[in-house]
Amino acid sequence: MKGSLHWKPDPTSKIPVFKQIAGHLKERILSGEWTAGSRIPVQRQLAGQFGVNRSTIVTALEELKAEGLLEGITGSGTRVRSTPAAGPDSSRSLDWDAYIRRGIHMPNLPAVQAINRAEADPAVVRLGTGELAPELIPSGMLQRMLGRLARQPLPGGYEEPLGSPALRSEVSRHLAGYGITASPSSILIVSGALQALHLISMGILRQGATVFLENPSYLHSIHAMPAVHTRMAGIPMDGEGLRVDRLSEHAEDMNGAVLYTIPSFHNPSGIVMSGPRRAEVLRFCTEHGLPLLEDDVYRDLWLDAPPPPPIKSMDAGGITLYIGSLSKTLSPGLRVGWVVGPQPVVERLADIKMQTDYGTSSISQALARECLAGGLYEKHLHRVREQLRVRRSAMLESLEQYCRGLLEWSTPQGGFYIWAKVPARSGAKPLFQRMLKKGFLLNPGYVYGPSCGAYLRLSYAYAPVPDMQRGIRELGALLRQ
């Protein structure tokens, strides 16, 4: 429907606002966008979308119920009753909701869906978003590189199954700077780290496999492994990272399992796994034949000192699959990352990737190669680190000024996040909801693990500093209430 995504009622029109909304919703039904039996968004969501109060939405919905287009069903919300194609008495109308419920991929958590919707609203200040602010993305540099590429034959065709040979050679050289020896034939180019996890789930995990991971973990907030119904087993952390002594308690449950870890500037806690702990993790995985998934997408975002070398750099037995990406450091829209591992594994993942999307965008791969090859990436990282230090200081100063004694937090050494503990009497969920009503988006801790309801993930990477300061002031005011 034309303009439906950003449509809002016109308050200056002679037509009452509720009638404008009813007409707009009716158009969505008559166009087949909302089919018979489908559930429409809840009143609160519609009110936020159209910028009106809930009573206006209720009146609009009553109009459509009176026309026989909607009906309220106890426990199921408001659903479309009929469409012109189906007719009000048709018993053969297509129930898309039933198809949706039977889909094998689980829906996002409600809180994650709310976060995704709010992040699309330019009026919302994003205090939990895990990506660089638009002004930190080197748009000018990328445009100049595109200009240079445009003067050459554009790579418009499909690349090799493993990805562009030229880019894989540059990634190999780049990884050597971390101490990782990886030939181009052991590197698979993927469309971001999330796709790497999808491919791994489809390529090496069996149905019902156990995934050991830190508690808390980013992996809890997404269904990154849709091909199998995995069991997530959280392992506690301390100041040095994942506790291997607690992992060893599960030594009898290692068959077919994997260990997933974010050792550098962990998401969401910000913890950096120490060098000795990394060696301990590798030793445990080697002794128990436990594949290790090392997600190192934040490595280059160090602010005080580089983190210890990757676990992969110490792995002589090929037990580690190493995941890297340019999404956190260069541009999330570029969608370029990589998986490094034994050649049979990356070839298996490449075969699945070819069946899925026939390869990451050739133009994105060419841009990534230009950036890594010309030394531009390191220059960009220098600027990003400078700006993130300023932003980190601003958030820490605001927390100290407005939330001292109300939250508990520590200073991250890099990455994007401050993992803040809220008082038990407050809880993250009501703070998340009340802050969102005021136009500030936080990430509640419970999306990162069932035992994290007393935490918030704050990000200093995205919101402008003045907005960040306003948001922390508002958070402090709510905590005092």
Side-chain angles (χ1 to χ4, degrees), residues 3 7 40 50 90 123 141 188 193 216 228 234 263 284 287 302 330 379 389 418 430 445 477:
W7 182 89
I40 71 169
F50 299 139
S90 173
M141 182 184 82
L188 168 65
V228 291
F284 179 92
E287 290 174 355
W302 57 266
L330 184 65
K379 292 179 181 178
R389 290 185 190 107
I418 294 175

Side-chain angles (χ1 to χ4, degrees), residues 17 21 28 30 51 63 74 79 100 113 124 170 184 189 266 273 283-284 288 313 321 328 331 347 373 392 403 465:
V17 169
I21 293 173
R28 301 182 81 163
L30 298 181
E63 285 264 314
T74 303
R79 293 180 179 268
I100 290 168
Q113 293 185 31
V124 171
E170 285 303 324
I189 303 301
H266 175 263
M273 188 183 290
R283 185 164 54 250
F284 179 92
H288 291 82
S313 69
L321 299 182
K328 300 299 181 183
S331 169
E347 288 179 352
R392 179 185 63 173
C403 299
V465 169

Side-chain angles (χ1 to χ4, degrees), residues 289-448:
L290 181 66
L292 176 62
L293 313 182
E294 183 178 11
D295 188 341
D296 215 18
V297 299
Y298 296 96
R299 158 165 291 277
D300 288 333
L301 294 172
W302 57 266
L303 303 182
D304 299 327
I311 300 173
K312 180 67 175 175
S313 69
M314 302 180 284
D315 178 15
I319 206 164
T320 306
L321 299 182
Y322 182 84
I323 301 171
S325 173
L326 297 178
S327 295
K328 300 299 181 183
T329 54
L330 184 65
S331 169
L334 202 60
R335 307 311 301 142
V336 172
W338 46 84
V339 181
V340 182
Q343 191 168 339
V345 177
V346 297
E347 288 179 352
R348 164 68 168 149
L349 302 184
D351 177 62
I352 298 172
K353 181 171 169 60
M354 290 297 286
Q355 298 176 57
T356 304
D357 67 2
Y358 257 98
T360 298
S361 161
S362 297
I363 294 176
S364 289
Q365 292 191 63
L367 276 173
R369 175 185 57 78
E370 286 283 310
C371 190
L372 291 174
L376 297 173
Y377 183 63
E378 287 300 327
K379 292 179 181 178
H380 163 69
L381 283 176
H382 179 74
R383 173 178 172 267
V384 165
R385 291 186 191 117
E386 286 184 337
Q387 293 299 313
L388 288 179
R389 290 185 190 107
V390 171
R391 288 165 172 266
R392 179 185 63 173
S393 295
M395 179 166 276
L396 290 171
E397 289 169 3
S398 295
L399 287 169
E400 187 70 25
Q401 181 176 356
Y402 300 114
C403 299
R404 182 178 178 83
L406 303 172
L407 293 175
E408 297 176 16
W409 68 89
S410 58
T411 300
Q413 302 172 47
F416 292 159
Y417 310 117
I418 294 175
W419 188 234
K421 186 175 183 179
V422 302
R425 66 181 182 276
S426 300
K429 187 171 184 177
L431 284 172
F432 165 67
Q433 294 170 337
R434 294 175 69 183
M435 284 290 285
L436 189 54
K437 286 182 179 179
K438 293 178 178 291
F440 298 98
L441 178 61
L442 307 170
N443 283 33
Y446 58 83
V447 304
Y448 303 107

Side-chain angles (χ1 to χ4, degrees), residues 43 52 65 81 165 191 231 248-249 424 464 476:
Q43 295 172 8
V52 298
K65 289 177 183 178
R81 182 179 178 187
S191 300
R231 183 177 74 88
S248 64
E249 296 173 4

Side-chain angles (χ1 to χ4, degrees), residues 184-256:
S185 61
S186 67
I187 298 170
L188 168 65
I189 303 301
V190 292
S191 300
L194 186 57
Q195 188 185 50
L197 294 173
H198 283 194
L199 295 173
I200 288 168
S201 76
M202 292 185 279
I204 68 170
L205 293 186
R206 68 184 184 189
Q207 185 79 12
T210 298
V211 178
F212 296 103
L213 70 171
E214 292 108 342
N215 182 31
S217 176
Y218 152 79
L219 207 57
H220 277 298
S221 69
I222 54 171
H223 296 293
M225 298 183 167
V228 291
H229 294 289
T230 55
R231 183 177 74 88
M232 301 292 180
I235 307 298
M237 305 174 73
D238 59 20
E240 292 189 67
L242 181 143
R243 289 182 53 182
V244 180
D245 62 318
R246 298 298 298 274
L247 178 62
S248 64
E249 296 173 4
H250 302 269
E252 301 301 318
D253 196 23
M254 297 293 169
N255 186 31

